[in-house]
Amino acid sequence: MTLHPASRPFTLADFDFELPPELIAQHPAAERSASRLLDGTSPAPIDRIFKELPSLLRAGDLLVFNDTQVIKARLFGEKSTGGKVELLVERVLQDHEVVAHMKVSKKPPVGSTLEMVGGFSATLLGRWPDEDGALFRFRFSGEPHALMAAHGHVPLPPYIEHGDSAEDEQRYQTVFARHPGAVAAPTAALHFDEPLLAELAARGIERASVTLHVGAGTFQPVKTENLAEHKMHREWYQVPLDTLAALERCRQRGGRVVAVGTTTVRTLESWAQSGQTSGDTQIFITPGFSFKVVDVLITNFHLPKSTLMMLVSALAGYEPIMALYRHAIAHQYRFFSYGDAMLLERRPTGSPAT
């Protein structure tokens, strides 16, 4: 990670803010592109509607989406003692094995078999990625994707207070989701519908995709006041060859790379940093980070003290972001996964982080 000399040290407290609970969106807007859009690309915030986005981009720009597909990753079952268990599948491995979070009153011993709702079983093989890992490795008695599709629940974020429904199955998913593996939606992309995508194409705005399977760690607040002590969660990503070609064309014509969502930012900057077009990333973007790919970001509003608050502050500047959040709260924007969006530009390299 490259730091600009102008960056000041930040602590966790810098990324805290008070959010009235009634601003946490519990349901999506009636129409995807009818959400509000806070335009942060001008000196003063401008209140817009998301379907105005095509007029805010330029012919020659490249929109990059995350085409991951949310899986029905929340599963319920019980131990042999009758104790209730909840699994949240984070990753599917080979040979019917999965990696999952486990919510249970008392952890069962390795080798235990859980009886899951739907009539299949899950055998605990150990912790993951090592013996001290926070996640658990299980072997299912059948093919994991098929079992989750048949018996799983939409893994709604912890701040959405209702159980999953048919509405969530449709709307907590982008219209271009292709590759199953996420336990959280790339929420900035939820605002796009087919008419909006058609209008963007008609205006000469190119489109490309990457894949990052969003993990549950995206909702975890940072708990260390010293940001350098935070251990970032691990997520799998891939940048296809045709997307690399689209990025090169965009640079050649002088267009801007417009990332749809922080997961797309993390994917593109992980590739730029490592040179690897696929693999696991634990990239932690904080103020002072030197962006190599992303010029513009479309994003939703994020949790206090989250790594994503730090990422958007790194891109657009800490004080501008905090001012936009104050404006959003004062003007009753809807927050988090089913909430509204904002449009940000990368601040010039070397400008003060504050």
Side-chain angles (χ1 to χ4, degrees):
M1 187 171 76
T2 305
L3 292 176
H4 300 315
S7 297
R8 72 166 174 89
F10 286 88
T11 64
L12 183 59
D14 288 315
F15 300 95
D16 198 10
F17 61 92
E18 290 294 326
L19 180 68
E22 63 270 18
L23 297 186
I24 300 174
Q26 296 296 316
H27 296 275
E31 182 186 345
R32 288 180 186 265
S33 59
S35 298
R36 298 170 72 190
L37 176 66
L38 180 54
D39 183 355
T41 64
S42 301
I46 301 174
D47 300 309
R48 301 184 185 275
I49 301 299
F50 198 86
K51 60 180 61 178
E52 295 178 53
L53 178 67
S55 67
L56 304 177
L57 302 181
R58 308 169 189 158
D61 285 348
L62 174 67
L63 272 170
V64 186
F65 295 93
N66 181 4
D67 63 8
T68 188
Q69 185 179 88
V70 178
I71 54 179
K72 294 166 77 172
R74 183 164 280 124
L75 300 163
F76 298 95
E78 62 180 35
K79 300 185 292 183
S80 59
T81 59
K84 301 301 182 186
V85 179
E86 178 183 328
L87 300 184
L88 181 64
V89 176
E90 182 94 5
R91 186 177 298 207
V92 175
L93 305 175
Q94 295 179 325
D95 301 322
H96 293 184
E97 291 184 12
V98 302
V99 171
H101 302 262
M102 177 166 51
K103 187 185 292 185
V104 64
S105 58
K106 184 181 179 182
K107 298 286 190 296
V110 172
S112 299
T113 296
L114 309 177
E115 294 303 322
M116 307 302 295
V117 173
F120 67 99
S121 62
T123 301
L124 177 60
L125 303 178
R127 289 184 176 266
W128 189 89
D130 52 45
E131 60 185 17
D132 298 318
L135 301 180
F136 296 86
R137 190 162 56 95
F138 290 89
R139 180 179 290 114
F140 284 180
S141 59
E143 200 285 311
H145 284 296
L147 292 173
M148 287 187 285
H151 308 298
H153 294 262
V154 179
L156 294 174
Y159 44 74
I160 291 180
E161 296 172 352
H162 59 82
D164 64 317
S165 65
E167 177 190 52
D168 298 305
E169 195 165 337
Q170 180 193 15
R171 294 296 301 276
Y172 195 63
Q173 192 81 272
T174 66
V175 297
F176 39 74
R178 287 175 53 199
H179 301 292
V183 301
T187 55
L190 296 177
H191 303 286
F192 289 83
D193 52 27
E194 294 299 344
L196 184 61
L197 292 170
E199 184 179 349
L200 288 160
R203 287 176 176 258
I205 297 159
E206 196 177 357
R207 174 177 154 192
S209 295
V210 296
T211 305
L212 182 138
H213 290 327
V214 193
T218 193
F219 302 116
Q220 296 301 314
V222 177
K223 296 178 180 176
T224 59
E225 197 61 31
N226 179 355
L227 303 186
E229 295 174 0
H230 175 67
K231 186 175 181 181
M232 195 68 179
H233 58 285
R234 183 190 301 256
E235 292 169 317
W236 182 89
Y237 74 93
Q238 183 171 46
V239 183
L241 291 178
D242 57 356
T243 296
L244 296 180
L247 289 165
E248 181 58 28
R249 289 195 301 272
C250 180
R251 289 299 185 215
Q252 291 291 336
R253 64 179 176 254
R256 300 175 302 171
V257 174
V258 182
V260 179
T262 55
T263 60
T264 298
V265 175
R266 298 185 70 238
T267 303
L268 292 173
E269 297 298 335
S270 293
W271 159 70
Q273 194 176 75
S274 68
Q276 303 297 312
T277 56
S278 69
D280 280 7
T281 180
Q282 290 179 283
I283 193 169
F284 186 18
I285 297 176
T286 58
F289 182 87
S290 181
F291 289 87
K292 294 180 172 60
V293 183
V294 176
D295 302 302
V296 178
L297 172 62
I298 301 163
T299 185
N300 280 22
F301 295 93
H302 304 295
L303 292 163
K305 296 185 176 182
S306 65
T307 60
L308 303 181
M309 279 294 294
M310 298 165 196
L311 184 153
V312 295
S313 298
L315 184 117
Y318 173 76
E319 289 296 350
I321 285 294
M322 299 312 286
L324 286 169
Y325 270 67
R326 289 191 294 270
H327 178 95
I329 292 169
H331 290 78
Q332 303 282 292
Y333 276 71
R334 301 166 76 244
F335 272 64
F336 307 156
S337 296
Y338 276 151
D340 298 314
M342 58 180 169
L343 181 67
L344 304 171
E345 282 184 323
R346 187 182 71 196
R347 62 187 176 84
T349 300
S351 63
T354 57

